[in-house]
Amino acid sequence: MSEENPETNVTATAPRRPRSIEDDESGHSVDVKAMKDDESFEHSMDIKAIGALEVKSETESEDYEEYEDKPTKGETFSNEPPEPARGWYKNGKGLYCTKKETVLFEALTYARIKVGTMKFSPLEWTSISWFSGLLVAAPLLASVSIHLDHRPNSQLITAIATAIGAIFCLPAGAIKTVWIMPPYVAAIVASNAVGSAFHNRHLGLMVRGFVGATIRKLQFPNRQAVSSQLSLYATAGGCLGSAAIASFTYYMLRNSEGFISLWVVSIFSGILWFAGIAHILTAVRSNGNESSINTNTRVSTRYFISIFNYPHAAGSLVGVFLSSFSTMSIFAGGVLYIVGQLCVPPRDLLFVWLTYFFFSALFLPLLHPIQKLIQSDAVKMQIFGFLLSTLTSGMGYYYRNANWHHNHVLFLAAVQSIASGVLHAHSRILLMDCAPSGKEGVFAAWFSWIRMLGAFVGFAIGSSGVGNMNRSFGAAFMAAVVGIVALIFSNVSSYGGAVAAGHVRKRRETDSPVLGWDEVVKVEEKGGLDGTKDRSIEA
């Protein structure tokens, strides 16, 4: 690509506007030649892609700024990111973007990382690093699942894995090379997978501790109420944490040194992750978990794939993948679209993020009594979440050529916030309903890995296309539709999975109310109250 001397540019006639507040405080015009020498603007000098800039004196630049002519229909970006006009940049939608957000968008989406003869954008490089983490996490989870279910040191292993992930967050900015990113991200992804498996398994143990290992059919709604309440509140708490991180990131990026600011955010995240170790080490195990621990060192190598012996559990993994894929594709594609195409300023972007995280945190606890009232199980709630995702992705795709107003963006963010929270909470509930006692660890490991795989694929598709939402929103819409069809016409159900897992026993309604459940179980095991076979209890 040939470069053009800025001093010989042809002067273009364009309307002038008052000086933008996003400009440099010094009030001087941009020295394009100096920007070329600066490392942060390397490979960003394709002036032809933007149009001719008017060479202005320092006096003129203090009072006026220049707009560019609207790009023609056939004009496209080159492989190298173009240099934005000073202060303002007019995109293909006719909207004016500030130089700060334009530079940020171009820095994320244009290929500048060379690997042999290929080039990758930072977002593509992140996807590659994420995939390497999934490859590392798969055999690690297969080994850890045995310790979660059959060894007494599951908490120690989880604490060590969490500590490793937290340590890798601390020196993330010490080595300024792109090659350090894949091993760093791989370690963080693998550590997060182990921690997620531990917490999901702990949810299954808590539900079993509240309602018992085996319950009657009439008591199954109580199990659903307990598991739903625990999972919804846990998801709401995670949303509050995400909102706090988003706010802290926005605060740090207001500083002039963006690289150091992001490093501080990474250090802060690592410190918070370290604090989570205290919760892991102090988690109280239920008595049922202690009795189910088997210290026998000879565990079959096929233990990790034993989930496929339970069709309801294996089928629920499809919903886990599709829900994670659709929500991440909408989130990644939507953020890039509103930044790169709608030119949403940083402060408004923060409001969108806070709406996305806070709305779910506030709505999910209110959803629990409604779910209990209508007696909706985890499958029906997942269908509800997929329907909301089709609404978000369908509207976004249909109005992809329109200039959205700020209230439209906030509305879609609020709807998708509910969808992502409902899908995450109830896909976890469904899989834990299908997990037999003593196998919560291996089922939770599968949930963790499949969910991360779906998020990876969604991020890879959502971040492709340079801010073009056709691909990301279209793929998310199709995934949500497939998820609805799969849940409706498949044989997967919370009750059926609980029965197959041994959590629910089918019994007649004529059981004596005098006998408690523990006494009924003992009678069934002995054959009857008088030592003979009791046909009514067996049925």
Side-chain angles (χ1 to χ4, degrees):
M1 182 186 66
S2 60
E3 294 189 357
E4 190 173 350
N5 190 347
E7 297 181 357
T8 62
N9 281 348
V10 180
T11 303
T13 304
R16 297 183 174 182
R17 294 280 299 258
R19 179 176 177 82
S20 169
I21 60 174
E22 297 287 338
D23 293 340
D24 300 329
E25 296 180 357
S26 59
H28 298 292
S29 61
V30 172
D31 188 350
V32 180
K33 187 175 181 180
M35 289 168 57
K36 180 179 179 181
D37 296 333
D38 187 83
E39 183 179 357
S40 63
F41 287 91
E42 186 179 2
H43 306 300
S44 62
M45 299 300 296
D46 187 4
I47 302 179
K48 289 183 178 180
I50 294 183
L53 300 178
E54 181 181 3
V55 180
K56 298 163 61 179
S57 63
E58 291 186 0
T59 305
E60 287 179 310
S61 65
E62 291 181 0
D63 297 325
Y64 298 97
E65 288 297 331
E66 228 176 17
Y67 287 104
E68 296 180 70
D69 293 334
K70 183 177 181 179
T72 60
K73 184 176 181 180
E75 182 179 353
T76 58
F77 290 111
S78 63
N79 291 332
E80 300 293 338
E83 178 200 356
R86 180 176 184 265
W88 294 97
Y89 168 69
K90 189 176 182 180
N91 64 10
K93 284 184 170 292
L95 301 176
Y96 293 99
C97 306
T98 63
K99 184 182 75 173
K100 183 177 181 180
E101 60 188 348
T102 303
V103 169
L104 176 62
F105 178 75
E106 292 167 355
L108 292 174
T109 56
Y110 285 93
R112 292 194 286 184
I113 300 176
K114 294 182 179 180
V115 180
T117 59
M118 297 181 294
K119 287 184 177 181
F120 300 98
S121 69
L123 292 176
E124 293 171 340
W125 193 242
T126 302
S127 299
I128 294 173
S129 304
W130 195 336
F131 183 71
S132 64
L134 290 174
L135 295 180
V136 174
L140 182 62
L141 285 173
S143 176
V144 168
S145 63
I146 298 176
H147 290 270
L148 290 177
D149 289 332
H150 298 284
R151 303 289 186 270
N153 56 353
S154 61
Q155 290 174 291
L156 179 61
I157 292 177
T158 307
I160 294 175
T162 304
I164 293 175
I167 290 174
F168 271 82
C169 290
L170 302 181
I175 304 176
K176 296 183 179 181
T177 174
V178 295
W179 287 104
I180 201 62
M181 191 172 181
Y184 264 62
V185 174
I188 293 174
V189 169
S191 300
N192 184 46
V194 174
S196 176
F198 173 83
H199 288 291
N200 293 328
R201 170 183 176 266
H202 199 66
L203 172 66
L205 299 182
M206 292 173 66
V207 174
R208 179 148 56 95
F210 274 111
V211 300
T214 307
I215 59 176
R216 298 172 56 187
K217 179 179 179 179
L218 294 177
Q219 294 173 312
F220 184 72
N222 296 334
R223 176 186 172 90
Q224 285 282 287
V226 171
S227 59
S228 176
Q229 184 176 19
L230 292 174
S231 186
L232 287 174
Y233 275 86
T235 304
C239 292
L240 292 178
S242 300
I245 291 294
S247 302
F248 184 71
T249 303
Y250 170 78
Y251 174 79
M252 293 304 302
L253 287 179
R254 295 173 61 187
N255 299 330
S256 58
E257 183 53 60
F259 180 79
I260 299 299
S261 300
L262 289 178
W263 188 6
V264 173
V265 173
S266 180
I267 293 174
F268 179 71
S269 301
I271 295 174
L272 289 181
W273 212 351
F274 263 120
I277 298 178
H279 163 68
I280 295 174
L281 295 177
T282 58
V284 179
R285 303 173 183 172
S286 64
N287 294 331
N289 181 38
E290 293 290 347
S291 61
S292 66
I293 290 180
N294 181 9
T295 58
N296 183 12
T297 57
R298 300 184 61 182
V299 179
S300 173
T301 56
R302 298 175 57 87
Y303 182 75
F304 187 65
I305 61 175
S306 62
I307 187 176
F308 296 103
N309 296 332
Y310 301 86
H312 289 275
S316 68
L317 294 178
V318 177
V320 173
F321 174 83
L322 292 175
S323 63
S324 181
F325 165 76
S326 61
T327 54
M328 179 55 73
S329 182
I330 293 174
F331 180 82
V335 169
L336 291 177
Y337 180 76
I338 63 178
V339 172
Q341 302 298 322
L342 299 182
C343 298
V344 174
R347 181 174 296 179
D348 291 344
L349 179 62
L350 175 64
F351 290 153
V352 173
W353 280 351
L354 293 181
T355 301
Y356 183 81
F357 295 124
F358 270 124
F359 206 85
S360 184
L362 295 176
F363 184 83
L364 290 181
L366 299 178
L367 185 63
H368 176 254
I370 300 177
Q371 178 190 356
K372 188 176 180 180
L373 178 64
I374 63 178
Q375 295 184 354
S376 178
D377 61 2
V379 174
K380 294 178 182 178
M381 294 305 297
Q382 276 190 278
I383 295 176
F384 172 67
F386 276 127
L387 287 174
L388 293 181
S389 290
T390 58
L391 174 63
T392 304
S393 56
M395 290 184 63
Y397 184 85
Y398 185 79
Y399 293 103
R400 62 190 182 277
N401 296 322
N403 294 334
W404 299 356
H405 296 290
H406 187 60
N407 55 345
H408 298 156
V409 177
L410 292 179
F411 171 76
L412 293 180
V415 174
Q416 184 57 29
S417 172
I418 301 173
S420 61
V422 169
L423 287 172
H424 171 68
H426 289 90
S427 62
R428 176 170 54 186
I429 293 172
L430 177 59
L431 189 60
M432 288 298 102
D433 284 340
C434 302
S437 299
K439 284 193 174 183
E440 291 90 352
V442 65
F443 280 55
W446 272 102
F447 175 85
S448 177
W449 195 84
I450 293 296
R451 181 173 176 268
M452 294 188 112
L453 177 63
F456 155 73
V457 178
F459 178 83
I461 293 179
S463 59
S464 61
V466 193
N468 188 351
M469 66 188 303
N470 296 354
R471 185 180 306 173
S472 60
F473 275 55
F477 180 83
M478 294 302 300
V481 171
V482 172
I484 294 173
V485 174
L487 290 174
I488 291 178
F489 294 99
S490 67
N491 197 30
V492 177
S493 68
S494 294
Y495 176 73
V499 172
H503 297 311
V504 179
R505 294 191 179 185
K506 296 180 180 179
R507 303 191 57 81
R508 290 182 178 177
E509 302 293 338
T510 57
D511 288 338
S512 174
V514 178
L515 293 175
W517 174 242
D518 294 335
E519 288 78 8
V520 172
V521 173
K522 293 178 181 178
V523 168
E524 189 177 57
E525 292 176 351
K526 293 180 180 179
L529 293 174
D530 56 354
T532 61
K533 190 70 173 177
D534 190 336
R535 297 295 181 183
S536 63
I537 296 180
E538 181 186 17

